mmCIF file with all atom_site columns, all heavy atoms in Angstrom:
data_model
loop_
_atom_site.group_PDB
_atom_site.id
_atom_site.type_symbol
_atom_site.label_atom_id
_atom_site.label_alt_id
_atom_site.label_comp_id
_atom_site.label_asym_id
_atom_site.label_entity_id
_atom_site.label_seq_id
_atom_site.pdbx_PDB_ins_code
_atom_site.Cartn_x
_atom_site.Cartn_y
_atom_site.Cartn_z
_atom_site.occupancy
_atom_site.B_iso_or_equiv
_atom_site.pdbx_formal_charge
_atom_site.auth_seq_id
_atom_site.auth_comp_id
_atom_site.auth_asym_id
_atom_site.auth_atom_id
_atom_site.pdbx_PDB_model_num
ATOM 1  N N   . LEU A 1 431 ? 5.444  -0.806 12.836 1.00 54.00 ? 452 LEU A N   1
ATOM 2  C CA  . LEU A 1 431 ? 6.664  -1.019 13.530 1.00 54.00 ? 452 LEU A CA  1
ATOM 3  C C   . LEU A 1 431 ? 7.618  0.111  13.477 1.00 54.00 ? 452 LEU A C   1
ATOM 4  O O   . LEU A 1 431 ? 8.114  0.479  14.503 1.00 54.00 ? 452 LEU A O   1
ATOM 5  C CB  . LEU A 1 431 ? 7.503  -2.242 12.837 1.00 54.00 ? 452 LEU A CB  1
ATOM 6  C CG  . LEU A 1 431 ? 8.469  -2.955 13.788 1.00 54.00 ? 452 LEU A CG  1
ATOM 7  C CD1 . LEU A 1 431 ? 7.940  -3.464 15.064 1.00 54.00 ? 452 LEU A CD1 1
ATOM 8  C CD2 . LEU A 1 431 ? 9.136  -4.003 12.858 1.00 54.00 ? 452 LEU A CD2 1
ATOM 9  N N   . THR A 1 432 ? 7.586  0.755  12.348 1.00 58.00 ? 453 THR A N   1
ATOM 10 C CA  . THR A 1 432 ? 8.361  2.025  12.236 1.00 58.00 ? 453 THR A CA  1
ATOM 11 C C   . THR A 1 432 ? 7.818  3.136  13.236 1.00 58.00 ? 453 THR A C   1
ATOM 12 O O   . THR A 1 432 ? 8.682  3.822  13.818 1.00 58.00 ? 453 THR A O   1
ATOM 13 C CB  . THR A 1 432 ? 8.192  2.552  10.785 1.00 58.00 ? 453 THR A CB  1
ATOM 14 O OG1 . THR A 1 432 ? 8.717  1.602  9.859  1.00 58.00 ? 453 THR A OG1 1
ATOM 15 C CG2 . THR A 1 432 ? 9.039  3.856  10.656 1.00 58.00 ? 453 THR A CG2 1
ATOM 16 N N   . ILE A 1 433 ? 6.477  3.205  13.334 1.00 58.00 ? 454 ILE A N   1
ATOM 17 C CA  . ILE A 1 433 ? 5.980  4.254  14.233 1.00 58.00 ? 454 ILE A CA  1
ATOM 18 C C   . ILE A 1 433 ? 6.193  3.946  15.716 1.00 58.00 ? 454 ILE A C   1
ATOM 19 O O   . ILE A 1 433 ? 6.705  4.850  16.366 1.00 58.00 ? 454 ILE A O   1
ATOM 20 C CB  . ILE A 1 433 ? 4.362  4.270  13.983 1.00 58.00 ? 454 ILE A CB  1
ATOM 21 C CG1 . ILE A 1 433 ? 4.110  4.866  12.573 1.00 58.00 ? 454 ILE A CG1 1
ATOM 22 C CG2 . ILE A 1 433 ? 3.762  5.174  15.131 1.00 58.00 ? 454 ILE A CG2 1
ATOM 23 C CD1 . ILE A 1 433 ? 2.591  4.840  12.272 1.00 58.00 ? 454 ILE A CD1 1
ATOM 24 N N   . PHE A 1 434 ? 6.168  2.693  16.047 1.00 53.00 ? 455 PHE A N   1
ATOM 25 C CA  . PHE A 1 434 ? 6.476  2.343  17.393 1.00 53.00 ? 455 PHE A CA  1
ATOM 26 C C   . PHE A 1 434 ? 7.924  2.595  17.697 1.00 53.00 ? 455 PHE A C   1
ATOM 27 O O   . PHE A 1 434 ? 8.370  3.019  18.760 1.00 53.00 ? 455 PHE A O   1
ATOM 28 C CB  . PHE A 1 434 ? 6.092  0.944  17.702 1.00 53.00 ? 455 PHE A CB  1
ATOM 29 C CG  . PHE A 1 434 ? 4.662  0.732  18.003 1.00 53.00 ? 455 PHE A CG  1
ATOM 30 C CD1 . PHE A 1 434 ? 3.930  -0.115 17.040 1.00 53.00 ? 455 PHE A CD1 1
ATOM 31 C CD2 . PHE A 1 434 ? 4.003  1.214  18.964 1.00 53.00 ? 455 PHE A CD2 1
ATOM 32 C CE1 . PHE A 1 434 ? 2.496  -0.331 17.311 1.00 53.00 ? 455 PHE A CE1 1
ATOM 33 C CE2 . PHE A 1 434 ? 2.589  1.124  19.130 1.00 53.00 ? 455 PHE A CE2 1
ATOM 34 C CZ  . PHE A 1 434 ? 1.872  0.325  18.289 1.00 53.00 ? 455 PHE A CZ  1
ATOM 35 N N   . MET A 1 435 ? 8.777  2.208  16.662 1.00 53.00 ? 456 MET A N   1
ATOM 36 C CA  . MET A 1 435 ? 10.301 2.451  16.950 1.00 53.00 ? 456 MET A CA  1
ATOM 37 C C   . MET A 1 435 ? 10.480 4.060  16.937 1.00 53.00 ? 456 MET A C   1
ATOM 38 O O   . MET A 1 435 ? 11.403 4.393  17.683 1.00 53.00 ? 456 MET A O   1
ATOM 39 C CB  . MET A 1 435 ? 11.021 1.852  15.769 1.00 53.00 ? 456 MET A CB  1
ATOM 40 C CG  . MET A 1 435 ? 11.052 0.308  15.780 1.00 53.00 ? 456 MET A CG  1
ATOM 41 S SD  . MET A 1 435 ? 11.877 -0.397 14.299 1.00 53.00 ? 456 MET A SD  1
ATOM 42 C CE  . MET A 1 435 ? 13.555 0.270  14.457 1.00 53.00 ? 456 MET A CE  1
ATOM 43 N N   . ALA A 1 436 ? 9.799  4.775  16.206 1.00 52.00 ? 457 ALA A N   1
ATOM 44 C CA  . ALA A 1 436 ? 10.020 6.247  16.222 1.00 52.00 ? 457 ALA A CA  1
ATOM 45 C C   . ALA A 1 436 ? 9.576  6.878  17.607 1.00 52.00 ? 457 ALA A C   1
ATOM 46 O O   . ALA A 1 436 ? 10.150 7.836  18.105 1.00 52.00 ? 457 ALA A O   1
ATOM 47 C CB  . ALA A 1 436 ? 9.122  6.823  15.131 1.00 52.00 ? 457 ALA A CB  1
#
Side-chain angles (χ1 to χ4, degrees):
L452 198 60
T453 300
I454 292 175
F455 283 116
M456 288 174 66

